[in-house]
Amino acid sequence: NAGVMQNPRHLVRRRGQEARLRCSPMKGHSHVYWYRQLPEEGLKFMVYLQKENIIDESGMPKERFSAEFPKEGPSILRIQQVVRGDSAAYFCASSPDVGLNTEAFFGQGTRLTVV
Amino acid sequence: EDKVVQSPLSLVVHEGDTVTLNCSYEVTNFRSLLWYKQEKKAPTFLFMLTSSGIEKKSGRLSSILDKKELSSILNITATQTGDSAIYLCAVRALITNSGYALNFGKGTSLLVTP
């Protein structure tokens, strides 16, 4: 049973380009959380999704950021027109259905560098 | 707004020392508190606590939850340099009939020196 898979592991984008980060949850997990981590800081919540549904996006910047978790395929975090301040590590975590109160498992993260 | 607060933010100890890390929370519909260890990669799961007063133990690490005080501690005895990491506390709270929020504190950065 593969763990949470994120790709790419490292992504370099020029200012103004788009960044697409992918997260495939663990098998059987239907909940995905995205977090951003700046150097020397903790994990800042961005968005929480179930399949085809955004549960909580209170941590997402209003502009340029969007997320989806389609019925088939990975969850995507999209950042349009990236700026230097978007450089960070982006982690996703997955957990099973709400009926099971278990831990969330993390992917290895995508390190985005905007140049 | 739900809050998770960890203290201290950073800590430097010598090998062999015992450390206690703290996590306090203010959430509605609390379900569980989780501890993670993060080195230079993804956070790895340590403990999940749901009931007050029951200690979870794994080797030199242990943790306990106090629901009355809305807090948890993580103890590490006989620390080793390999314990150097950021320790993250997260609280899971029910936000809808179909979803849990999972909010993290800022972490405690522990450095164990030889």
Side-chain angles (χ1 to χ4, degrees):
Chain A
N1 186 10
V4 180
M5 304 298 290
Q6 286 189 251
N7 67 82
R9 292 288 304 278
H10 300 276
L11 182 62
V12 179
R13 283 287 176 266
R14 294 189 186 281
R15 279 180 295 171
Q17 290 185 318
E18 179 179 283
R20 280 188 168 221
L21 288 62
R22 294 174 190 77
C23 171
S24 296
M26 284 182 74
K27 190 176 178 181
H29 285 194
S30 57
H31 295 230
V32 166
Y33 303 83
W34 283 96
Y35 297 88
R36 175 163 62 180
Q37 189 172 41
L38 294 167
E40 312 302 324
E41 291 192 15
L43 291 166
K44 188 160 186 265
F45 168 74
M46 297 184 75
V47 63
Y48 169 30
L49 310 109
Q50 290 179 336
K51 289 276 186 184
E52 300 182 282
N53 194 17
I54 295 175
I55 302 294
D56 182 0
E57 57 183 344
S58 58
M60 286 272 273
K62 295 280 186 283
E63 311 276 331
R64 304 187 296 107
F65 284 72
S66 62
E68 62 176 6
F69 189 12
K71 190 176 177 183
E72 302 290 337
S75 175
I76 307 282
L77 179 68
R78 183 186 294 122
I79 311 172
Q80 296 177 302
Q81 299 174 327
V82 296
V83 301
R84 288 237 171 93
D86 297 332
S87 296
Y90 292 82
F91 289 97
C92 85
S94 76
S95 67
D97 190 74
V98 71
L100 295 172
N101 190 13
T102 71
E103 66 271 30
F105 295 89
F106 279 85
Q108 291 295 308
T110 293
R111 296 199 178 275
L112 172 66
T113 302
V114 180
V115 297
Chain B
E1 185 180 307
D2 293 345
K3 279 197 299 191
V4 181
V5 178
Q6 291 186 246
S7 64
L9 287 182
S10 64
L11 194 53
V12 181
V13 299
H14 293 296
E15 260 190 321
D17 287 351
T18 292
V19 297
T20 298
L21 311 182
N22 300 284
C23 176
S24 63
Y25 60 91
E26 283 181 43
V27 300
T28 51
N29 296 315
F30 172 89
R31 284 297 177 268
S32 57
L33 185 144
L34 301 96
W35 284 97
Y36 289 82
K37 177 182 180 182
Q38 185 179 26
E39 295 165 277
K40 294 215 180 276
K41 45 189 178 174
T44 52
F45 172 75
L46 294 175
F47 298 111
M48 185 172 84
L49 304 156
T50 54
S51 302
S52 247
I54 298 174
E55 186 183 55
K56 294 267 180 108
K57 204 167 166 59
S58 175
R60 296 175 294 101
L61 276 67
S62 63
S63 184
I64 196 161
L65 176 67
D66 186 336
K67 280 186 175 178
K68 193 173 172 187
E69 296 295 324
L70 305 183
S71 65
S72 172
I73 59 170
L74 175 69
N75 278 321
I76 310 175
T77 58
T79 51
Q80 302 171 357
T81 55
D83 295 327
S84 297
I86 297 174
Y87 290 84
L88 296 163
C89 168
V91 172
R92 181 183 288 233
L94 192 67
I95 54 172
T96 72
N97 286 336
S98 55
Y100 288 115
L102 187 63
N103 291 310
F104 282 82
K106 291 187 176 179
T108 293
S109 177
L110 174 66
L111 177 63
V112 181
T113 60

